[in-house]
Amino acid sequence: MDEPRGRLTRDGIRIHEPADFAGMRLAGRVAAEILDAVAPLVVPGVTTEALDDFIRGRVAAAGAVSATIGYRGYRHASCISVNHVVCHGIPGPKALKDGDILNIDVTVIVDGWYGDTSRMYVAGSLNRKAERLIDVTHDALMRGIAAVRPGNTFGDIGHAIQSFVEDHRMSVVRDFCGHGLGRVFHAPPNVLHYGRAGSGPLLEEGMFFTIEPMVNLGRPETKILADDWTAVTRDKSLSAQFEHSVGVTADGCEIFTLSPAGRFHPTWAA
C-alpha cells in the first residue's frame, strides 16, 4: 500500500492532495452500493448472519477488500446493530422480528482507499417512536455535514449535531466518535458529535473524515458486552446511527458515501 500523501497539521490531521478525492470517491461509492444492495433483504425472519454473508459476497464481487475482517480479530464484513445496540453489533443466527430497527456499517478498501458508511434499516413495520429517532439521527448527521467548510471548527460540527438532537429531547452518545480516514482506517481527528461552537481544530481543505452520530431515545450512557465489541444503551432505550465519509473542499465538503439508489434513509421502502 502506498504511503499517505499530503501534509499533517499541528493536530496530526492529514491534509490530502486534490487527486486523492478520486480514490475516496470510488471507495465511498462501492461501500454505498453494497448498503443499497442489502436493503431489500432486511425483512422479518432474516438473520443478521445471512445479511453479513450477502455483504461479504458483494465486497468480493466489487473487487474490494473488507476492512473489518481481521481487524483486531473481528471476523465479519459488517457490524449490524439492532434496536438498543448502539454500534459494533456482531452478526449472528438470531432472526429479525417485525418492527426491529438496525444499523448496518460497512467499510471497504478499494485501491488502498477506505470507504466507510452506515445507515438505518427497518424490518417490517415501523412504529412512530422509532421513526422519530431515525429521522432525528439522519437530520442531525446532515446538520453536522452542513457545518463542514474551511474556517469552521470540529466543535461546530459537534455543536450542530448535539443542539439539534437535544432540542428533540434525545441524547447523543459520547463514548464513540467519527474519525479521520483515507489510506488508513482510523486516523486523527476524533470527530465528536457534541461540543462547543468554535472549539477544536480548524477545518481545512483536504481533510477526510467520518461523521457518524449515534442517538439514543433515552440517556446517552453505553456499556460494552462480554464479547468486547457490542455496545448497548445502559437503559435499554432504542439507538440509531447514520454515517457518511466526507472530504473538506474549498467551499464546503463532498460526501463520498451518498446512496446511488437513494436508499440512505429507510423511507425509500415506503
Side-chain angles (χ1 to χ4, degrees), residues 85-171:
V85 178
V86 174
C87 60
H88 303 157
I90 301 174
K94 188 174 181 180
L96 296 175
K97 303 188 300 295
D98 183 61
D100 281 346
I101 64 170
L102 55 153
N103 174 274
I104 303 181
D105 190 339
V106 168
T107 307
V108 298
I109 310 169
V110 180
D111 297 332
W113 295 98
Y114 285 71
D116 187 1
T117 184
S118 80
R119 64 181 80 156
M120 295 300 295
Y121 299 82
V122 179
S125 55
L126 179 63
N127 69 58
R128 180 59 187 140
K129 201 180 286 189
E131 182 180 20
R132 278 193 65 244
L133 172 66
I134 289 170
D135 285 344
V136 167
T137 308
H138 173 271
D139 293 352
L141 167 64
M142 301 315 294
R143 283 173 182 255
I145 290 173
V148 178
R149 57 183 175 273
N152 274 6
T153 69
F154 282 93
D156 292 327
I157 299 172
H159 177 74
I161 292 168
Q162 180 185 8
S163 59
F164 179 77
V165 169
E166 292 179 354
D167 279 350
H168 286 82
R169 298 185 179 181
M170 299 178 194
S171 64

